Amino acid sequence: MPYNDYQELFDALQDDEIDAFIISTLSVYKANIYFIQNNMYVVGFYDNMSSALTDSKIGVAKGKGELVDKINQALNDIKADGSYQRLSLKYFPFMNY
């Protein structure tokens, strides 16, 4: 479902209209600030990973810990079986780190 801007997307998450979202953009600064201010989960983000290196984000509403676990498991699975790296090399050969 498309949203016109980050605020509409965040409002939909807060209002339980959606359970999660994916942001894939080169500019997620506003999203990062919103996550921090609203104590939201950021799936697939690790403490030792600079936010400058992660252009995509998956946001999950508070209280949806089971969904976070499922998304994290899916991400771990595609990394473990090599799918993530193959997709990354195919579509973003200039950005592999």
Side-chain angles (χ1 to χ4, degrees):
M1 172 179 274
Y3 292 89
N4 292 320
D5 58 34
Y6 283 139
Q7 193 58 54
E8 280 187 18
L9 178 63
F10 300 146
D11 289 345
L13 187 70
Q14 295 290 73
D15 295 341
D16 288 326
E17 294 173 20
I18 58 175
D19 291 328
F21 61 80
I22 298 174
I23 296 175
S24 180
T25 180
L26 295 176
S27 174
V28 294
Y29 177 76
K30 188 172 181 179
N32 286 335
I33 297 301
Y34 187 88
F35 293 148
I36 293 166
Q37 290 174 341
N38 290 281
N39 194 29
M40 296 173 73
Y41 298 112
V42 180
V43 180
F45 187 81
Y46 302 98
D47 289 338
N48 62 346
M49 185 181 293
S50 167
S51 62
L53 297 176
T54 54
D55 297 328
S56 298
K57 301 282 189 255
I58 301 172
V60 179
K62 288 170 98 173
K64 305 279 183 182
E66 190 173 311
L67 179 58
V68 170
D69 293 341
K70 288 179 181 181
I71 293 170
N72 277 329
Q73 185 60 54
L75 291 171
N76 287 332
D77 290 348
I78 66 170
K79 288 178 182 178
D81 73 8
S83 298
Y84 180 88
Q85 185 66 17
R86 283 192 302 279
L87 288 169
S88 184
L89 286 170
K90 180 177 180 178
Y91 294 104
F92 308 101
F94 51 89
M95 292 184 66
N96 277 277
Y97 40 84

